[in-house]
Amino acid sequence: MVASIIRRIQTFMRSPQGRQARARAERVARDPRTRAKIQGMLRRFNTRRR
């Protein structure tokens, strides 16, 4: 079951729509504001787990 999900994700990522999604995600990840949001969320998550 897990293998079929991974296979579907791989197939999608090779498709034109998957490549567009990846490019969009990379563009968003490079944005400094987005990076700051993610780092803040990770910091809160890590302090809550301890």
Side-chain angles (χ1 to χ4, degrees), residues 2-40:
V2 175
S4 66
I5 293 171
I6 292 172
R7 196 174 312 116
R8 283 184 183 186
I9 292 170
Q10 288 174 336
T11 303
F12 171 73
M13 292 310 290
R14 289 186 190 113
S15 72
Q17 294 91 347
R19 287 191 221 117
Q20 286 177 348
R22 179 179 173 187
R24 193 168 33 249
E26 287 175 351
R27 194 169 45 252
V28 169
R30 279 194 298 266
D31 184 11
R33 288 176 295 174
T34 305
R35 290 186 100 123
K37 284 182 193 177
I38 292 170
Q39 286 176 347

